[in-house]
């Protein structure tokens, strides 16, 4: 058994920033189930949104965030994001990080969907996430312990408190454990997310007794590069911010007559418009012929196209929408505290409510910068020292449960719990998931085999998304039901909060 002050699970921007703020004072171990470069942050092409331009104001950013989030947002979390965001970004630049600037050294501001003005900073054109994360790897070198390729299998809970983690290779106790494992994109056939984004952090928190919420709100990004029936990578919204437009194979503009902001309308609206064209038998392309200096402005996308032999010079890039971001996650307050003492969460795995029903573009790297500071400061202020024993509350012993394949889960989610949902489809998906005895998966000991454990956690997450989507009888933001196509006042700011207590009745398991 080893001991740390703080254990962080995940290696994206939020994880690294918590570590950065703590490492002077605390002994920190970061676990990743793959190598440390595998994360959604690493893949982030879009930038960091912040109201720092002289013509901008945090109130404009605040309003844009609420409009995109369909006012399902937690207002206080949004205020913190946009106000503290400016300071957090300045702090990051003071550490020595450079965002893209013109020849006079003036920051370049880009535009993305649903922002009323240019307020997005990028680094390396479309390699913002990779540059920020690499910068932090350097800053953290020899200051924290990275343990790669050692998946956390479960949280250790003792006496109603999270006291550490059980990994594949050992037991680690800690005064505080921080989940920063990112999102759930891999539950869908098409996604922009890293291979590792299977929702395990959220599943582990739920299994340990922490509350999760807003699971029905999964954002689909309108433009993944589409090659041979597969989505092979993101085509940033910043490309549309530079003037690219969506067109069909018969030359029509997809967004004509759909929304006043056209190609820069909120993502859920653009994704549904593309989905509709595809369901009507059309192919959809991003016409980039009007984007100046495409290869130098978008080097990552240019090389992605070249890797798949898509000739971007002819101006048309084939696209399809894909799962991109989970607005819900583990319930946390604005200091990252979950409902389970000793357990914290940050980044995409956490839900402060900041994104509401639909995240505004380039608010996620900003969220990582802002809320990681808050989590770290809370840990420095009030972390309780515990002398813990290597003990955990007993889980049910395992019985053999037959499991589906990952692809079957992805097909079910894509077909029935995708961009457009309805009651019958959601019910069908619920029944499909429940044949795998979800209540048992929630309570049984974790699987040692990586593939089986991942599937087990994907089943829990898929079931949570499906059943929350079934419960929310309205359409709002990224959650669109064709049988309930309008927002309802009753559901405004009403959260669907889930805990594992729902698997118990007076008599025992359901
Ligand atoms: C993008 O570059 O389009 C994605 C940015 C984001 O999700 O914020």
């Amino acid at each position: 058994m080893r001991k740390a002050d703080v254990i962080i699970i995940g290696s994206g921007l939020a994880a690294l920033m918590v570590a950065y703020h703590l490492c002077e004072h605390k002994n920190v171990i970061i676990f990743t189930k793959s190598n440390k470069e595998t994360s959604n942050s690493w893949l982030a092409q879009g930038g960091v949104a912040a109201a720092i331009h002289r013509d901008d104001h945090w109130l404009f950013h605040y309003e844009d965030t609420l409009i995109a989030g369909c006012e399902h947002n937690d207002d206080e979390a949004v205020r913190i994001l946009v106000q503290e965001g400016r300071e957090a970004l300045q702090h990051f630049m003071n550490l020595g990080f450079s965002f893209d600037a013109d020849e006079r050294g003036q920051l370049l501001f880009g535009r993305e969907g649903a922002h009323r003005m240019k307020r997005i900073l990028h680094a390396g054109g479309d390699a913002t996430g990779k540059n920020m994360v690499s910068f932090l790897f350097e800053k953290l070198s020899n200051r924290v312990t990275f343990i790669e390729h050692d998946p956390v299998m479960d949280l250790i809970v003792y006496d109603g408190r999270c006291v550490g983690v059980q990994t594949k290779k050992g037991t680690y106790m800690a005064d505080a454990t921080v989940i920063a494992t990112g999102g759930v994109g891999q539950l869908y056939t098409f996604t922009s997310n890293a291979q590792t984004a299977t929702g395990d952090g959220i599943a582990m928190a739920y299994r340990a007794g922490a509350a999760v919420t807003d699971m029905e709100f999964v954002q689909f990004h309108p433009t993944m590069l589409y090659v041979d029936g597969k989505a092979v990578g993101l085509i940033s919204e910043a490309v549309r911010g530079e003037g690219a437009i969506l067109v069909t194979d018969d030359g029509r503009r997809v967004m004509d007559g759909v929304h006043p902001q056209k190609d820069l309308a909120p993502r859920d609206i653009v994704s549904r418009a593309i989905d509709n064209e595809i369901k009507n038998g059309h192919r959809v392309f991003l016409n980039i012929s009007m984007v100046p200096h495409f290869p130098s402005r978008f080097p990552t996308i240019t090389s992605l196209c070249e890797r798949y032999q898509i000739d971007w010079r002819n101006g048309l890039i084939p696209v399809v929408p894909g799962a991109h971001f989970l607005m819900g996650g583990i319930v946390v307050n604005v200091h990252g505290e979950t409902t389970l003492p000793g357990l914290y969460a940050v980044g995409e795995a956490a839900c402060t409510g900041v994104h509401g029903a639909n995240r505004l573009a380039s608010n996620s790297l900003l969220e990582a910068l802002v809320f990681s500071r808050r989590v770290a400061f809370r840990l420095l202020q009030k972390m309780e020292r515990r002398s813990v024993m290597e003990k955990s509350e007993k889980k049910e012993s395992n019985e053999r449960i037959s499991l589906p394949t990952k692809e079957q889960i992805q097909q079910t989610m894509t077909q029935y719990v995708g961009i457009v949902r309805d009651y019958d489809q959601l019910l069908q998906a619920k029944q499909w998931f429940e044949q795998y005895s979800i209540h048992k998966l929630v309570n049984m000991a974790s699987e040692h085999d990586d593939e089986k454990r991942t599937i087990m956690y994907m089943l829990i997450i898929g079931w949570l998304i499906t059943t929350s989507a079934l419960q929310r009888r309205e359409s709002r933001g990224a959650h669109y039901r064709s049988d309930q196509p309008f927002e309802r006042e009753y559901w405004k700011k009403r959260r669907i909060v889930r805990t594992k207590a729902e698997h118990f009745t007076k008599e025992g398991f359901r």
Side-chain angles (χ1 to χ4, degrees):
M1 180 182 79
R2 277 179 68 179
K3 173 90 179 69
D5 295 329
V6 179
I7 283 173
I8 301 173
I9 316 172
S11 61
L13 186 66
L16 300 179
M17 282 307 289
V18 174
Y20 181 79
H21 290 298
L22 289 177
C23 65
E24 280 291 295
H25 315 278
K26 301 283 177 195
N27 164 264
V28 178
I29 304 182
I30 300 181
F31 286 98
T32 68
K33 65 178 175 179
S34 177
N35 55 26
K36 62 186 193 314
E37 289 80 14
T38 306
S39 69
N40 281 351
S41 300
W42 183 268
L43 297 177
Q45 297 175 358
V48 187
I52 58 174
H53 190 276
R54 63 176 181 281
D55 299 334
D56 206 351
H57 192 281
W58 67 264
L59 261 176
F60 299 151
H61 189 189
Y62 176 86
E63 284 167 7
D64 288 351
T65 301
L66 291 185
I67 293 168
C70 302
E71 300 198 26
H72 185 64
N73 317 58
D74 180 290
D75 299 347
E76 175 61 2
V78 179
R79 187 196 59 72
I80 289 170
L81 178 82
V82 298
Q83 276 193 326
E84 294 185 11
R86 299 181 308 173
E87 202 186 306
L89 195 69
Q90 192 55 56
H91 168 257
F92 200 70
M93 293 194 275
N94 292 347
L95 296 179
F97 186 82
S98 304
F99 286 99
D100 294 343
D102 64 16
E103 53 292 341
R104 289 173 299 134
Q106 301 293 319
L107 287 170
L108 291 168
F109 292 90
R111 185 154 179 223
E112 289 173 21
H115 283 276
R116 78 182 71 173
M117 57 176 64
K118 289 189 163 198
R119 65 162 69 96
I120 323 281
L121 297 181
H122 292 93
D126 53 6
T128 312
K130 181 175 169 186
N131 285 9
M132 292 175 86
V133 167
S134 309
F135 174 80
L136 281 173
F137 285 152
E138 267 177 44
K139 292 270 166 213
L140 287 171
S141 142
N142 299 323
R143 300 171 80 185
V144 298
T145 307
F146 276 101
I147 303 186
E148 297 176 277
H149 301 286
D150 188 7
V152 172
M153 296 182 358
D154 234 338
L155 303 173
I156 302 175
V157 178
Y158 183 67
D159 211 7
R161 185 179 175 86
C162 179
V163 293
V165 300
Q166 181 64 51
T167 74
K168 192 79 185 283
K169 297 182 189 155
T171 304
Y172 294 79
M173 310 310 273
D175 298 323
T177 301
V178 182
I179 295 185
T181 47
V184 303
Q186 287 295 333
L187 268 92
Y188 290 87
T189 309
F190 297 156
T191 180
S192 61
N193 285 194
Q195 278 299 327
T196 45
T198 49
D200 6 347
I202 302 170
M204 283 190 276
Y206 177 77
R207 274 165 51 88
V212 304
T213 190
D214 281 351
M215 294 297 288
E216 64 277 31
F217 294 115
V218 178
Q219 180 177 82
F220 289 82
H221 192 289
T223 54
M224 313 279 106
L225 177 61
Y226 185 58
V227 184
D228 294 335
K230 294 198 177 89
V232 295
L234 186 71
I235 307 292
S236 175
E237 201 164 50
V239 179
R240 277 174 282 134
E242 296 292 323
I245 55 170
L246 289 157
V247 293
T248 57
D249 47 1
D250 54 358
R252 282 175 297 110
R253 278 192 70 166
V254 172
M255 294 307 293
D256 263 359
V258 176
H259 190 276
Q261 283 172 293
K262 298 209 171 202
D263 297 85
L264 288 175
R267 285 181 185 168
D268 58 310
I269 294 168
V270 183
S271 291
R272 277 201 301 281
I274 298 176
D275 184 59
N276 187 42
E277 293 291 353
I278 294 171
K279 283 181 177 149
N280 286 326
H282 291 288
R283 285 179 302 144
V284 175
F285 299 87
L286 196 56
N287 181 342
I288 59 160
S289 51
M290 59 295 277
V291 178
H293 315 297
F294 186 82
S296 57
R297 171 65 184 85
F298 298 107
T300 309
I301 298 171
T302 304
S303 64
L304 180 71
C305 289
E306 286 171 357
R307 191 170 345 133
Y308 288 95
Q309 280 125 40
I310 299 296
D311 186 6
W312 54 269
R313 284 178 194 80
N314 83 14
L316 291 179
I317 299 180
V319 291
V320 74
H324 184 58
F325 191 86
L326 176 69
M327 274 65 72
I330 304 164
V331 173
V332 291
N333 63 16
V334 292
H335 307 289
E337 292 165 312
T338 71
T339 57
L340 179 66
L343 183 67
Y344 295 73
V346 68
E348 191 176 348
C351 182
T352 54
V354 75
H355 303 303
N358 195 20
R359 174 172 67 76
L360 183 65
S362 285
N363 266 358
S364 58
L365 294 178
L366 184 69
E367 176 191 20
L369 293 180
V370 170
F371 289 97
S372 60
R373 273 201 332 172
R374 292 185 143 255
V375 172
F377 291 168
R378 177 50 54 112
L379 285 173
L380 291 172
Q381 275 164 4
K382 70 161 248 192
M383 198 164 82
E384 291 172 48
R385 288 216 148 266
R386 298 265 168 157
S387 59
V388 286
M389 293 159 292
E390 188 190 348
K391 257 188 181 177
S392 66
E393 279 147 13
K394 269 226 161 334
K395 292 246 163 64
E396 294 287 295
S397 66
N398 284 359
E399 62 182 87
R400 281 180 78 79
I401 290 188
S402 71
L403 295 172
T405 61
K406 260 188 196 169
E407 290 70 29
Q408 286 172 312
I409 299 176
Q410 290 167 338
Q411 280 157 13
T412 303
M413 291 299 288
T414 303
Q415 191 174 349
Y416 301 124
V417 200
I419 297 173
V420 177
R421 308 148 176 195
D422 71 25
Y423 177 82
D424 292 338
Q425 293 177 338
L426 291 170
L427 194 62
Q428 229 168 306
K430 177 176 183 289
Q431 284 160 356
W432 186 84
F433 279 110
E434 289 180 353
Q435 70 183 302
Y436 297 106
S437 312
I438 302 296
H439 59 285
K440 287 192 181 145
L441 299 181
V442 168
N443 289 292
M444 67 201 250
S446 184
E447 255 295 339
H448 210 259
D449 178 87
D450 290 344
E451 178 77 6
K452 284 192 186 149
R453 187 181 56 257
T454 302
I455 288 174
M456 180 172 149
Y457 288 175
M458 284 172 77
L459 283 170
I460 294 173
I461 297 294
W463 176 80
L464 282 168
I465 296 173
T466 304
T467 46
S468 301
L470 202 48
Q471 215 173 318
R472 181 172 288 279
R473 288 193 196 85
E474 67 159 355
S475 289
R476 188 177 293 275
H479 169 67
Y480 184 83
R481 281 181 54 160
S482 54
D483 60 327
Q484 303 277 351
F486 304 108
E487 289 181 4
R488 287 177 190 266
E489 198 51 34
Y490 170 85
W491 282 104
K492 188 169 169 187
K493 290 202 189 291
R494 198 174 283 259
R495 305 222 117 81
I496 297 174
V497 178
R498 315 288 299 268
T499 66
K500 76 167 186 173
E502 65 194 348
H503 295 280
F504 293 91
T505 62
K506 278 199 206 104
E507 298 78 42
F509 290 149
R510 235 180 241 168

